[in-house]
Amino acid sequence: MPRHPDRLIERLAQPAAARMIAASGTAVVFAGSVEQHGGHLPLGTDAFAAQSIAERAAARLDTVAASLHLAWPGTLSLSPGTLIAVFTDVCGGETAAYVGEHRDEGARRILSVNWHEGNSATLRLAADEAQGRHGVRVVMAETHVISHTLFPGEMEFTHAGSMETAAVLAFDPSLVHLEDATPATDRAAGEAAHALFRRPDVYPVMRDFHDVAVTGWYGRPELATPERAEEIAEAVADHVVREAREIWAALGPAGEGR
C-alpha cells in the first residue's frame, strides 16, 4: 500500500470528504516543518515525511488527511500560538461533516501525525485545547521516534541521515540528491550534542540546529534505499494505526472513561 495522495482533504470534493469522515468518525492531521537538511534533502523533509505517513494512515482508517499548514500558503514556520490555533480549528472543522443538506456526525477521533521534534510540545498543548473545545479524542503519533524505535539499526536518529533520507525517498525519490550533500558534522559529535537536547529531565531548548551540528546536519544518508524506505514507511503506518486503534478502544469516545 504505497502513498495515497487521494486521501488529502484538499484533493477531495466536499461531499466525498464528508462521507469519509462521517463513516469513519476519524480524521488524520499532520505536521512537519520547513528547515535545512543539508544539500542532499529538501527543506520540506519533515513536512513530506509526515505527509507520507499520514496518507498511508488515512487510507488504513478509510478517512482523510489534513495538513496543519494548508491554511497558510507559503508559510515556512508557524509560531507555537498559531500552530495551536490552526490545529484546534482544523479539528473543529472535522467534527462536523455535511452530506448534501444534512449535517452528519463528524470526526470524534483525531490522529495527529508529526515528524519534527520542535512541534511535539506545542502539539500536545494543541491536542488538549482541541479535546476541550471540540470533544474529540486525540492520539499523538511521533513518527520520527517510531521509525527509529522499530528499526534502530537502520534508521539512525540523526538529522538528515538515513532515517530522514528514507522518509523523503518514500515520499518522492526525485527529491533526494546525495551527490549534492554538503560536508557533514562528525557523527559522534552530533549524537553527543543532540543527546543534551533529548534528555527527559534537565535539558536545554533548541533554537538553532547549529548548536548540535556546526555544518547543519550529520548522519549516514547513503544507508537509505528507495525499496527499503517504502517498506519502512509501510511498517510505521501499520504501527501508528494499530496503536491508535488500541488506544481509542481502551479509552472509549471522547468524554468517557474506560
Side-chain angles (χ1 to χ4, degrees), residues 81-250:
T82 301
L83 182 57
I84 290 171
V86 172
F87 184 97
T88 304
D89 287 349
V90 168
C91 289
E94 291 172 338
T95 60
Y98 289 83
V99 180
E101 298 179 353
H102 303 286
R103 184 181 186 279
D104 293 335
E105 186 74 6
R108 286 294 176 264
R109 296 179 296 272
I110 302 293
L111 174 60
S112 172
V113 173
N114 178 46
W115 187 293
H116 181 59
E117 287 180 89
N119 287 340
S120 299
T122 301
L123 287 174
R124 290 186 68 173
L125 294 174
D128 181 68
E129 178 73 16
Q131 290 184 151
R133 184 179 301 182
H134 301 302
V136 293
R137 175 83 70 188
V138 181
V139 168
M140 317 298 289
E142 301 286 3
T143 50
H144 50 305
V145 176
I146 295 167
S147 297
H148 172 67
T149 301
L150 293 181
F151 304 97
E154 295 178 83
M155 300 291 96
E156 53 183 12
F157 208 168
T158 58
H159 182 69
S162 62
M163 184 172 72
E164 295 199 305
T165 300
V168 177
L169 287 171
F171 179 82
D172 183 350
S174 71
L175 297 175
V176 177
H177 299 282
L178 294 182
E179 69 277 9
D180 295 331
T182 53
T185 292
D186 176 74
R187 184 162 173 258
E191 288 180 339
H194 220 164
L196 297 176
F197 293 92
R198 288 172 169 156
R199 288 180 175 179
D201 47 5
V202 180
Y203 52 87
V205 177
M206 189 182 301
R207 291 287 297 171
D208 187 335
F209 195 79
H210 288 89
D211 289 339
V212 171
V214 294
T215 65
W217 76 278
Y218 73 101
R220 297 173 293 177
E222 68 278 2
L223 298 182
T225 66
E227 297 76 19
R228 189 63 180 140
E230 178 65 23
E231 294 172 354
I232 289 171
E234 288 289 283
V236 172
D238 284 339
H239 178 89
V240 167
V241 171
R242 181 174 61 253
E243 295 291 308
R245 283 173 168 158
E246 288 182 5
I247 292 170
W248 287 322

Side-chain angles (χ1 to χ4, degrees), residues 29-111:
V29 298
F30 61 94
S33 70
V34 178
E35 62 177 3
Q36 67 82 23
H37 282 79
H40 57 292
L41 295 180
L43 288 163
T45 287
D46 290 7
F48 299 147
Q51 180 177 330
S52 175
I53 301 301
E55 290 176 9
R56 299 166 199 263
R60 287 160 168 77
L61 294 167
D62 198 19
T63 189
V64 304
S67 169
L68 296 183
H69 292 79
L70 181 62
W72 302 86
T75 299
L76 296 181
S77 178
L78 301 181
S79 69
T82 301
L83 182 57
I84 290 171
V86 172
F87 184 97
T88 304
D89 287 349
V90 168
C91 289
E94 291 172 338
T95 60
Y98 289 83
V99 180
E101 298 179 353
H102 303 286
R103 184 181 186 279
D104 293 335
E105 186 74 6
R108 286 294 176 264
R109 296 179 296 272
I110 302 293
L111 174 60

